[in-house]
């Protein structure tokens, strides 16, 4: 990105001058989330909806180009791409001067410049046991001394932010040096990940009892209003530096058209983003049709009436002529995401690694009709079945291996019979020891969740297994999942980097304490392959390690593969410049789009 660079002689007077930005306070972008956010502390959240807001408030050292395909990482707050040592272990990063945090009482009336020490502090927070970050290992596994500092804090009860850490060195006001414990060929992806925006220590300490409600960053927007689970309002950051769009589109004509429309524009263009939480599909869809929302992910229930989908290829879809006449625009892309149901491997009923427990999980997978019912009925054919735990088309997806379980309820019943899950007098199976077998599936209360529950009910009925659906809010289920308190739950995840490491780290045994390993899966053979993959550059040898991991997952069945979704996103005709980014997704376009008068 091109930024306004303040010369040293101008720094003193910079705080007296209004900061340039292109936001028009009269322009409002209105969007809706189907699920509520959890909060806005970058180190504490990892759900898609909170991250969507955070990526607009906080700045990372590196960013992805908005239009470049294949994906391209570029400098964010960094003055240039990191200087990397020959052994791939030392990253030296210069930060652009003249970048300022948004105003906050914690700064006591002074303009607060972003400096290298802010990133050092922000990265340390991921090792602090009090913060309890769900993605801590993305930093602690790599930066020399950070894991040890976290373990020490676990014993003393307090993280020492003043103690030197070998892998985190602030060389001068604008220079940060990161030393890794081993080479990492994708560490630039980590530096560009949404979770690693800079926070200011003064702010964190001022609001230490509630950091989730007080996000203060250097990004294009500030949090103006928040009614948890109901409404989020962002306003353009008046302290935001001048940033001019400089996207690099590929050969796609639509992308080139967007680049021409945005060329020379100062970001952000809208002065306000209003987010409503509308959990049910029908009200969300009607809200868009009535022009109360400017953007929407097309609800599954509306696909058949809104789109004409190629029956032989779900990747080809066209908008209904009636919607086209209204000026509505369609963006149709394959997501970098996965959806699945996981089993709690610590649970005495569905967990464990003995043959009888594997047979139970495999039988349920055999009876779950992903391609027969889930994709056509619940996704309106706008999805493709997962073949491995890594979304298709990125390194680690093991294109030569298909880990899907073929739909075969009869085989599932035969497996249960073989391993002692007998059918009792009441017509339902028992555990091999004769105790009742009951699966407790966590779920939510929406109409779509109820449709999924109907499919799961049929799945368990076909196996003669009792199932109970325990209903809670999605955020409550996520909290319970992190604590390994759910027996079984279905959810999905979006990639934070275009590499399979992002998915596989979730099943690494070292990710169990942070909660990000939701199934609490732990197999030595998986861990070995994962750790070895991290020492290798992209290529056949590394891909072989991923295939090994995918085969281990298939053998033990800690998850049931569901789908990778096709995203059909609609924008009103007056919205200019929309493009889904595979990594930034929901919030990734807010700073780029313009909203014309309507």
């Amino acid at each position: 990105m091109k930024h306004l660079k303040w010369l040293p002689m101008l720094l003193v007077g910079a705080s007296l001058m209004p900061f340039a930005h292109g936001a028009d306070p009269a322009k409002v972008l209105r969007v809706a989330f189907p699920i509520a956010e959890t909060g806005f502390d970058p180190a504490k959240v990892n759900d898609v909806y909170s991250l969507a807001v955070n990526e607009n408030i906080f700045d990372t050292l590196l960013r992805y180009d908005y239009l470049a395909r294949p994906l391209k990482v570029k400098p964010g707050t960094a003055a240039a791409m990191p200087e990397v040592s020959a052994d791939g272990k030392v990253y030296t990063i210069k930060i652009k001067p003249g970048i300022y945090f948004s105003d906050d009482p914690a700064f006591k009336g002074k303009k607060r410049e972003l400096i290298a020490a802010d990133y050092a502090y922000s990265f340390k927070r991921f090792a602090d046991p009090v913060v309890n970050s769900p993605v801590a290992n993305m930093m602690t596994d790599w930066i020399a001394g950070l894991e040890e500092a976290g373990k020490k804090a676990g014993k003393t009860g307090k993280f020492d932010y003043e103690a030197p850490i070998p892998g985190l060195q602030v060389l001068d006001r604008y220079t940060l040096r990161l030393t890794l414990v081993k080479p990492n060929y994708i560490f630039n992806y980590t530096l560009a990940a949404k979770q690693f925006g800079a926070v200011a220590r003064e702010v964190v300490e001022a609001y230490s009892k509630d950091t989730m409600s007080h996000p203060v960053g250097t990004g294009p927007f500030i949090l103006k209003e928040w009614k948890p689970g109901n409404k989020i309002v962002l306003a353009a950051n008046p302290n935001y530096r001048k940033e001019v769009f400089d996207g690099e589109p590929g050969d796609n004509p639509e992308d080139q058209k967007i680049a021409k429309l945005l060329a020379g524009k100062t970001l952000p263009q809208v002065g306000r983003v209003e987010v409503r939480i509308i959990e049910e599909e029908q009200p969300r869809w009607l809200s868009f049709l009535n022009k109360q929302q400017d953007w929407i992910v097309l609800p599954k229930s509306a696909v058949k009436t809104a789109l004409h989908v190629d029956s032989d290829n779900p990747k080809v879809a066209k908008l209904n002529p009636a919607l086209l006449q209204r000026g509505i625009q369609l963006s149709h892309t394959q997501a970098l995401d996965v959806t699945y149901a996981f089993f709690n491997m610590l649970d005495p009923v569905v967990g464990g690694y003995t043959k009888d427990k594997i047979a139970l999980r495999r039988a349920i997978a055999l009876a779950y009709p992903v391609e027969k019912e889930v994709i056509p009925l619940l996704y309106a054919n706008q999805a493709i079945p997962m073949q491995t735990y890594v979304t298709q088309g990125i390194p680690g997806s093991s294109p030569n291996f298909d880990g899907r379980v073929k739909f075969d309820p009869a085989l599932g019943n035969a497996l249960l019979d073989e391993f002692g899950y007998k059918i009792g007098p009441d017509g339902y199976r028992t555990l091999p020891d004769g105790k009742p077998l009951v699966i407790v599936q966590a779920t939510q209360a929406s109409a779509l969740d109820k449709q999924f529950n109907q499919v799961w009910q049929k799945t368990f009925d076909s196996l003669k297994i009792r199932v109970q659906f325990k209903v809670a809010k999605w955020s409550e289920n996520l909290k319970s999942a992190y604590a390994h308190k759910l027996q079984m739950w279905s959810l999905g995840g979006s990639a934070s980097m275009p590499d399979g490491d992002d998915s596989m780290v979730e099943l690494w045994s070292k990710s169990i304490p942070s909660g990000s390993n939701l199934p609490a899966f732990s197999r030595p053979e998986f861990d070995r392959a994962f750790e070895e993959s991290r020492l290798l550059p992209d290529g056949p040898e590394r891909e072989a390690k991923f295939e090994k991991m995918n085969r281990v997952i298939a053998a033990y069945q800690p998850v049931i593969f569901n789908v990778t979704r096709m995203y059909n996103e609609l924008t009103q005709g007056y919205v200019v410049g929309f493009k889904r980014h595979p990594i930034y997704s929901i919030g990734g376009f807010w700073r780029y789009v313009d909203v014309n008068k309507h």
Side-chain angles (χ1 to χ4, degrees):
M1 300 292 180
K2 297 177 181 177
H3 298 274
L4 184 60
K5 297 184 179 180
W6 299 98
L7 298 174
M9 68 179 67
L10 296 179
L11 284 175
V12 174
S15 63
L16 303 178
M17 300 171 61
F19 279 63
H21 60 78
D24 183 342
K27 293 182 176 181
V28 180
L29 175 69
R30 301 162 302 170
V31 301
F33 287 174
I35 293 173
E37 72 299 330
T38 57
F40 308 118
D41 184 333
K44 293 182 178 180
V45 300
N46 196 39
D47 62 283
V48 170
Y49 306 99
S50 299
L51 290 174
V53 175
N54 279 353
E55 69 184 272
N56 286 283
I57 294 176
F58 301 96
D59 273 326
T60 49
L61 286 162
L62 305 179
R63 283 189 60 81
Y64 289 90
D65 185 280
Y66 183 50
L67 296 176
R69 307 291 186 275
L71 301 180
K72 181 179 181 180
V73 176
K74 301 170 69 172
T77 57
M81 294 299 290
E83 295 178 7
V84 185
S85 62
D87 63 1
K89 293 169 62 175
V90 181
Y91 284 65
T92 303
I93 307 159
K94 293 279 187 179
I95 296 170
K96 296 171 184 173
I99 296 176
Y100 289 82
F101 283 93
S102 60
D103 294 333
D104 189 86
F107 300 136
K108 299 178 180 179
K110 298 180 181 179
K111 291 293 183 184
R112 174 62 158 79
E113 189 181 20
L114 174 71
I115 56 177
D118 294 318
Y119 282 104
Y121 171 75
S122 299
F123 294 168
K124 287 178 182 178
R125 293 188 71 229
F126 286 88
D128 189 340
V130 173
V131 175
N132 192 30
S133 173
V135 294
N137 54 31
M138 292 179 73
M139 283 291 164
T140 58
D141 293 342
W142 296 104
I143 295 177
L146 197 55
E147 183 177 29
E148 291 76 10
K151 289 179 178 178
K152 183 177 179 181
K155 295 177 181 178
T156 63
K158 185 176 181 180
F159 192 94
D160 186 355
Y161 283 94
E162 305 300 334
I165 292 177
L168 272 173
Q169 294 178 284
V170 178
L171 302 185
D172 59 42
R173 185 172 179 82
Y174 303 113
T175 308
L176 180 68
R177 176 165 290 168
L178 305 176
T179 302
L180 311 184
V181 294
K182 51 196 171 187
N184 184 332
Y185 296 95
I186 59 172
F187 196 66
N188 279 345
Y189 291 156
T190 299
L191 297 178
K194 298 181 284 286
Q195 295 90 337
F196 301 119
V199 300
R201 183 170 182 172
E202 308 96 293
V203 174
V204 173
E205 292 179 349
Y207 305 109
S208 59
K209 295 182 179 179
D210 188 16
T211 58
M212 297 284 261
S213 299
H214 297 276
V216 178
T218 61
F221 293 98
I222 61 174
L223 183 64
K224 192 72 173 177
E225 180 184 349
W226 182 32
K227 296 179 180 178
N230 183 289
K231 183 180 181 182
I232 306 165
V233 178
L234 302 183
N237 178 4
N239 285 3
Y240 194 58
R241 60 200 177 274
K242 184 176 182 180
E243 182 174 346
V244 178
F245 177 79
D246 66 346
E248 302 178 29
D251 297 332
N252 186 310
E254 289 299 316
D255 294 353
Q256 292 175 354
K257 180 181 178 181
I258 291 173
K260 289 181 180 179
L261 290 170
L262 298 182
K265 297 289 181 69
T266 303
L267 308 177
Q269 298 190 73
V270 299
R272 188 177 172 95
V273 179
E274 295 182 355
V275 183
R276 291 284 185 177
I277 314 304
I278 307 176
E279 295 182 351
E280 293 293 346
E281 285 192 342
Q282 192 64 14
R284 200 163 64 248
W285 177 228
L286 290 175
S287 180
F288 177 79
L289 291 177
N290 292 330
K291 291 191 174 182
Q292 295 168 334
Q293 303 296 328
D294 304 316
W295 162 92
I296 190 174
V297 175
L298 183 65
K300 298 175 183 68
S301 58
V303 168
K304 290 183 179 179
T305 56
L307 296 183
H308 293 293
V309 180
D310 188 324
S311 58
D312 297 323
N313 185 0
K315 296 182 181 181
V316 178
K318 294 181 179 180
L319 198 60
N320 184 308
L323 296 177
L324 279 172
Q325 289 177 4
R326 294 181 56 177
I328 291 173
Q329 305 163 111
L330 168 68
S331 174
H332 180 78
T333 55
Q334 180 179 323
L336 284 184
D337 72 357
V338 293
T339 60
Y340 55 86
F342 75 84
F343 299 98
N344 182 352
M345 300 298 281
L346 302 177
D347 184 82
V349 176
V350 299
Y353 301 92
T354 56
K355 290 183 179 180
D356 60 318
K357 298 300 184 182
I358 297 171
L360 174 60
R361 297 192 295 270
R362 181 66 47 77
I364 297 171
L366 284 163
Y368 187 58
V370 175
E371 296 181 61
K372 183 179 180 181
E373 293 188 31
V374 174
I375 290 178
L377 299 181
L378 301 182
Y379 286 97
N381 288 317
Q382 289 298 281
I384 56 176
M386 287 172 57
Q387 294 184 206
T388 68
Y389 197 65
V390 177
T391 187
Q392 296 178 27
I394 64 174
S397 57
S398 304
N400 296 322
F401 174 68
D402 190 342
R404 286 178 290 180
V405 174
K406 184 179 179 182
F407 178 66
D408 193 341
L411 179 57
N413 276 288
L415 264 178
L416 294 173
D417 291 340
E418 180 181 352
F419 285 92
Y421 294 91
K422 297 179 180 179
I423 300 174
D426 60 358
Y428 289 98
R429 293 186 185 274
T430 63
L431 290 165
D433 62 5
K435 294 179 180 178
L437 170 59
V438 181
I439 303 297
V440 180
Q441 169 111 260
T443 186
Q444 295 77 233
S446 76
L448 181 61
D449 287 301
K450 291 175 182 177
Q451 292 175 18
F452 271 99
N453 294 346
Q454 290 173 2
V455 174
W456 279 112
Q457 183 72 62
K458 288 173 60 177
T459 297
F460 286 108
D461 285 348
S462 71
L463 298 172
K464 299 177 176 60
I465 295 176
R466 282 193 180 89
V467 61
Q468 295 176 358
F469 296 103
K470 186 176 181 181
V471 179
K473 288 185 175 294
W474 190 89
S475 57
E476 293 173 3
N477 279 333
L478 181 64
K479 184 177 180 180
S480 296
Y482 280 149
H484 306 300
K485 293 180 179 179
L486 301 183
Q487 188 180 79
M488 188 178 178
W489 189 34
S490 298
L491 77 167
S494 296
S496 64
M497 62 177 67
D499 189 89
D501 185 277
D502 184 50
S503 295
M504 292 305 191
V505 70
E506 295 177 354
L507 295 183
W508 187 29
S509 64
K510 285 188 67 175
S511 299
I512 294 175
S514 69
S516 59
N517 183 338
L518 298 180
F521 181 67
S522 178
R523 296 309 302 163
E525 58 269 43
F526 180 95
D527 288 352
R528 281 194 299 270
F530 176 73
E531 290 160 9
E532 290 166 356
S533 75
R534 290 188 140 187
L535 300 176
L536 299 169
D538 282 339
E541 187 178 359
R542 184 169 184 258
E543 198 60 50
K545 302 298 181 184
F546 277 98
E547 184 168 324
K548 172 67 174 177
M549 288 182 266
N550 278 313
R551 289 184 180 278
V552 173
I553 295 169
Y556 289 98
Q557 201 80 60
V559 298
I560 296 176
F561 291 163
N562 200 348
V563 303
T564 292
R565 293 165 288 195
M566 306 300 299
Y567 273 114
N568 294 291
E569 291 165 282
L570 306 185
T571 51
Q572 304 290 358
Y574 48 78
V575 175
V576 178
F578 172 75
K579 172 75 175 182
R580 165 169 281 270
H581 193 280
I583 301 300
Y584 292 133
S585 63
I586 294 176
F589 65 92
W590 296 353
R591 72 181 67 195
Y592 298 105
V593 298
D594 197 359
V595 177
N596 291 331
K597 290 183 179 181
H598 56 281

